[in-house]
């Protein structure tokens, strides 16, 4: 059994004698399975402790790359900047690369520049397209830990996904809307920023599944490729509302909520229930004003913490970060958490 630890240290950690540990390590007969498991567990715990020591007190530069509207990137920046202080004496220096819209080629070029320049880790919110997956593979081969944030790249070589269970979030939205209508017929406008993001696709899959199984009289009208911007999303919403007189609810997966609300108001149409995602500044104001009913929120500071830990683990050879999912919370005007 290969390990860098002294027998006496393993024995102390396991609560066993050095002779017993020596028998386990050398594969001698007469050792119970339970004793062997205690020794293995002790070595794993010592490895974890060594991992913490290996990065403690270091300054780690990481790059956070996101294609997302400014209102969400502002919330992510605040979360990461708030969390860095919790890892002292290890210091994280975050370099932010944000754009509301990036072509896949631009995103790939940015990831390749970061790889060639050097970094201790990349936190990435990006569309699930082959070019980006290939760029992640190049970064991983260069020894860089890549963590996906909010939306996953499950078929890539990323180390771990930090974010919520998006399918469960979509199912929750369907439950809220279905309960509101109580079995009556309805029509929901579902807004996506883009069909390229796996996280948004997962939310829509969960949403449609629950409607199909539990609320079959509720239909869906979808708009996409507004990229979360008010101008583009608003235009798409105006067209959808004009084309479908039955729309009377909104599930906003991709943002642009002020513009969606304005489109309904301009058309003189009522919204029975509006479910949105992410407790950014816009949604806080809309929720407080009663313009939207529910926000499905997950704590971005939890996601930031998960990303930092995965990158620290990645700096220790052989360490594998576990999968992390942050909890989805249903936020109303009456239980909004304080701003960090």
């Amino acid at each position: 059994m290969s390990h860098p630890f002294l027998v006496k240290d393993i024995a102390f950690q396991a609560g066993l004698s050095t002779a017993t540990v020596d028998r386990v390590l050398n594969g001698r007969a007469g050792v119970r399975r339970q004793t062997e498991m205690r020794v293995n567990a002790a070595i794993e715990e010592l490895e974890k402790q060594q991992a913490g020591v290996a990065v403690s007190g270091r300054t780690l530069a990481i790059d956070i790359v996101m294609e997302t509207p400014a209102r969400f990137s502002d919330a992510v920046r605040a979360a990461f900047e708030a969390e860095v202080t919790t890892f002292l004496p290890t210091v994280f220096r975050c370099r932010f690369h944000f754009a509301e819209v990036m072509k896949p080629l631009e995103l790939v070029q940015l990831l390749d520049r970061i790889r060639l320049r050097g970094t201790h880790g990349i936190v990435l919110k990006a569309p699930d397209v082959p070019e980006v997956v290939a760029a992640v593979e190049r970064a991983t081969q260069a020894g860089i830990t890549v963590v996906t944030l909010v939306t996953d790249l499950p078929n890539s070589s990323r180390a771990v996904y930090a974010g919520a269970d998006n399918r469960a979030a979509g199912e929750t939205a369907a439950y809220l809307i279905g309960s509101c209508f109580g079995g009556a017929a309805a029509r929901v406008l579902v807004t996506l920023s883009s069909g390229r993001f796996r996280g948004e696709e997962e939310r829509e899959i969960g949403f449609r599944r629950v409607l199909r199984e539990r609320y079959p009289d509720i239909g869906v009208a979808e708009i996409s490729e507004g990229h979360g911007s008010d101008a583009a999303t608003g235009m798409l919403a105006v067209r959808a509302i004009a084309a479908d007189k039955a729309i009377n609810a909104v599930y906003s997966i991709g943002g642009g909520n002020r513009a969606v609300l304005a489109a309904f108001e301009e058309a003189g149409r009522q919204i029975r229930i509006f479910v949105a995602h992410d407790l950014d500044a816009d949604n806080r104001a809309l929720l407080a004003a009663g313009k939207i009913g529910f926000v499905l929120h997950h704590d971005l500071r939890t996601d930031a913490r998960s990303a930092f830990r995965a990158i620290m683990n990645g700096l220790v050879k052989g360490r594998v970060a576990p999968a992390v999912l942050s909890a989805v919370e249903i936020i109303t005007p009456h239980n909004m958490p304080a701003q960090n």
Side-chain angles (χ1 to χ4, degrees), residues 247-313:
I247 293 174
N248 57 352
V250 177
Y251 174 35
S252 173
I253 295 175
N257 297 332
R258 289 188 182 277
V260 174
L261 288 163
F264 275 88
E265 185 175 351
E266 182 181 337
R269 301 271 290 277
Q270 296 295 312
I271 303 174
R272 280 278 301 278
I273 180 172
F274 193 125
V275 179
H277 276 273
D278 305 317
L279 204 56
D280 55 36
D282 271 12
N283 283 342
R284 280 182 172 273
L286 294 173
L287 195 59
K291 299 291 187 181
I292 59 180
F294 302 96
V295 170
L296 300 179
H297 170 65
H298 68 280
D299 183 14
L300 291 172
R301 288 189 62 169
T302 298
D303 297 341
R305 194 156 54 246
S306 297
F308 288 147
R309 286 174 177 161
I311 290 167
M312 291 173 71
N313 286 341

Side-chain angles (χ1 to χ4, degrees), residues 119-280:
T119 184
H120 289 109
I122 297 173
V123 180
L124 179 63
K125 178 184 180 294
D128 187 7
V129 295
E131 306 97 301
V132 172
V133 170
V136 169
E137 176 64 26
R138 290 192 290 274
T140 301
Q141 290 296 319
I144 298 168
T145 299
V146 179
V147 179
T148 51
L149 182 72
V150 179
T151 182
D152 199 10
L153 303 174
N155 299 315
S156 74
S157 58
R158 56 91 173 121
V160 70
Y161 162 68
D165 183 334
N166 284 304
R167 193 167 296 207
E171 292 168 347
T172 302
Y175 173 79
L176 291 171
I177 291 173
S179 298
C180 172
F181 286 102
R187 189 87 170 152
V188 184
L189 179 66
V190 174
T191 73
L192 303 172
S193 70
S194 173
R196 300 175 303 149
F197 289 99
R198 178 62 67 100
E200 294 194 5
E201 180 185 56
E202 290 290 318
R203 291 174 183 176
E204 185 188 20
I205 289 171
F207 182 74
R208 287 181 180 269
R209 186 192 69 78
V210 171
L211 289 188
R212 185 171 60 251
E213 294 179 1
R214 299 189 58 178
Y215 310 103
D217 292 326
I218 297 179
V220 171
E222 178 188 313
I223 60 175
S224 185
E225 306 312 314
H227 302 288
S229 73
D230 284 345
T233 303
M235 187 178 301
L236 291 168
V238 166
R239 293 173 183 167
I241 294 166
D244 192 338
K245 302 299 183 184
I247 293 174
N248 57 352
V250 177
Y251 174 35
S252 173
I253 295 175
N257 297 332
R258 289 188 182 277
V260 174
L261 288 163
F264 275 88
E265 185 175 351
E266 182 181 337
R269 301 271 290 277
Q270 296 295 312
I271 303 174
R272 280 278 301 278
I273 180 172
F274 193 125
V275 179
H277 276 273
D278 305 317
L279 204 56
D280 55 36

Side-chain angles (χ1 to χ4, degrees), residues 23 27-31:
R23 284 201 302 273
R28 296 194 180 100
V31 178

